[in-house]
Structures are given as C-alpha cells and as structure tokens.
Amino acid sequence: VKASENAAFDTAKVYFKTGCEALGSRGWEGDYRAMLDLCSHGANACFVTGDFDSMNELIDEVLSKDIDTKEKYRVSEIKVKSLHNIGKFNKSIDAALDFNRQLGLPAPRKKPASKFTIIREYIRVKKLLKDKTAEDIANLPELDDERYEMGQRMNEHLATSVYLVEPTMLPLVIFQSVTTSLKHGLSPTSSPAFARLGLLLCGPFGKPNEGREMAKAAELILEK
C-alpha cells in the first residue's frame, strides 16, 4: 500500500499480486479484509500502469464475491474509469448505472431523454431549490451517508461519459446529483454538479440569473 501511495505503481502491483498468491484460493475465507484490500489496491495499480488484463481479473474476482455492494465500490469505480479511458463509453455508463442501482439509488434509464422528462425533473429540482441563495446552498450540511457519497462519485463519472454518448441524459444526471446534495448534504462532487446546473440554466433553459446563482454556489462550495 505504501508503494502505491508513493506512486511506485509498478512495484506496488507486484506486491499486491504476491500478497494474493500468498493468501491463495482460500484467502477470502481466511482473511477476507486483506484479500479485498489486495485486490482493490492491486486493480488500481494495474489500471495506472496499463496492465488491463490483470486489472480486469482482480476486478472480476471482487465483483464475483457475495459481499456488501459498498465494499465493491473501489473496483467498480476503477472499472468505470478504465472503460471510459479506452473509449468504451457505453460500457462505462452501464457499469456506473448498474452500481448505483445495486446501492439502491435512483439511476436514469440509458436511453435518449425526452424534453418532457427533462422539464419534469427540472421542476422537481426547482421545487427543492425554492428560494435558496448561493450562500444557503453552500451552507448546507456535509453528506455523511457513505452510500450516497459513492453514488455521487459515480454520477460524476456518468456525467463525463453520457455527454459523449447520449447528451440528453446529462441533465438527468446533473439533476440527480443536485437533488442528492440538497436532500442529503454536500460532498466534493457537489461543486461541479451545481456548476453544471448553472450551465444548463444559462444555456438551454434561458435563465441566466438563476444560472449565475448556481455558479456562485459552486464557487462557494469549492472554497469551503
């Protein structure tokens, strides 16, 4: 782990592989926590060094285990990022949506979003915002629910991929991230979520004053 933290990922990859081999096929039964850490950190080291075959083996091993979905987050995120990085945007979207659904969180359907759907979801967000100022938003409590925090980070990856594949889904992802921030608290992903909402409002929604307020909220959140 120290080698990984020091960015010596090639060395770290070897250490993690050696650790997995030392624990053997019964490692999950004998030392489940150690195996989870070795596979998760190992998958990340392989991702960084471009060893995608080994990375996928470690990811698949964790995903195949009957463990809490939250414990699969690290490898799930690596899978989403790696698929995006090699241009498999649709598969990256599928992986992110699937993970959020496994967490029991709302996730948009992977299909073109109609104007009606976009407007309906915008109205829901607008009701949540009410008359909140940028300062009101920035002073919301911090998110302290690990499940929603993971979902927010997955939405951040989703926003990048859906923009390239199915742009009409992007507003729905943005609205979901903003909704979670307003209902459950702020996280590191809240600032870009409100910034994107500001872009939507200034652009296609034609509400520049509201858009600037959301951009200001994003800036204030970032300064916290």
Side-chain angles (χ1 to χ4, degrees):
V1 175
K2 287 185 177 180
S4 179
E5 291 173 349
N6 292 330
F9 291 103
D10 282 308
T11 302
K13 181 176 66 175
V14 175
Y15 288 156
F16 292 131
K17 183 178 180 180
T18 302
C20 288
E21 291 174 351
L23 289 175
S25 59
R26 294 184 176 274
W28 287 99
E29 299 172 11
D31 198 339
Y32 140 83
R33 175 56 58 185
M35 280 296 290
L36 178 62
D37 286 340
L38 287 168
C39 289
S40 299
H41 288 296
N44 185 61
C46 291
F47 168 61
V48 173
T49 57
D51 184 357
F52 294 112
D53 288 339
S54 297
M55 177 198 74
N56 286 324
E57 287 178 9
L58 292 167
I59 289 173
D60 290 342
E61 180 162 0
V62 175
L63 295 182
S64 69
K65 301 304 176 185
D66 185 18
I67 57 178
D68 191 297
T69 300
K70 290 184 291 186
E71 295 185 305
K72 298 179 180 182
Y73 172 76
R74 285 183 291 177
V75 295
S76 296
E77 184 181 35
I78 294 165
K79 180 177 182 178
V80 169
K81 291 193 298 184
S82 66
L83 288 168
H84 177 88
N85 284 3
I86 61 176
K88 294 185 177 181
F89 305 122
N90 276 300
K91 289 188 176 181
S92 179
I93 293 169
D94 289 338
L97 291 174
D98 183 59
F99 182 80
N100 278 357
R101 291 189 184 107
Q102 287 183 44
L103 283 176
L105 300 177
R109 296 178 63 184
K110 188 188 167 191
K111 66 174 188 176
S114 66
K115 289 184 179 179
F116 171 79
T117 300
I118 293 171
I119 292 172
R120 181 192 66 200
E121 296 306 311
Y122 166 65
I123 291 172
R124 289 175 176 172
V125 170
K126 190 172 178 61
K127 287 181 178 179
L128 286 174
L129 283 168
K130 295 181 181 178
D131 297 320
K132 287 185 176 65
T133 64
E135 289 76 11
D136 293 332
I137 294 169
N139 287 323
L140 288 169
E142 291 186 6
L143 178 63
D144 62 358
D145 187 312
E146 186 181 26
R147 190 167 59 98
Y148 280 103
E149 188 173 347
M150 291 175 176
Q152 288 287 70
R153 292 200 292 266
M154 279 298 181
N155 281 337
E156 184 73 5
H157 296 305
L158 267 174
T160 305
S161 291
V162 298
Y163 177 75
L164 298 170
V165 175
E166 186 47 72
T168 61
M169 286 181 63
L170 181 59
L172 303 186
V173 176
I174 294 170
F175 296 152
Q176 185 57 58
S177 296
V178 169
T179 296
T180 299
S181 295
L182 293 170
K183 284 185 173 181
H184 303 283
L186 302 177
S187 69
T189 60
S190 295
S191 178
F194 280 99
R196 291 188 182 107
L197 178 59
L199 286 172
L200 284 180
L201 293 172
C202 288
F205 282 86
K207 297 179 180 291
N209 291 334
E210 294 178 23
R212 282 193 290 270
E213 194 69 14
M214 294 303 101
K216 183 180 178 182
E219 185 177 6
L220 291 173
I221 293 169
L222 194 60
E223 292 175 352
K224 289 182 69 175

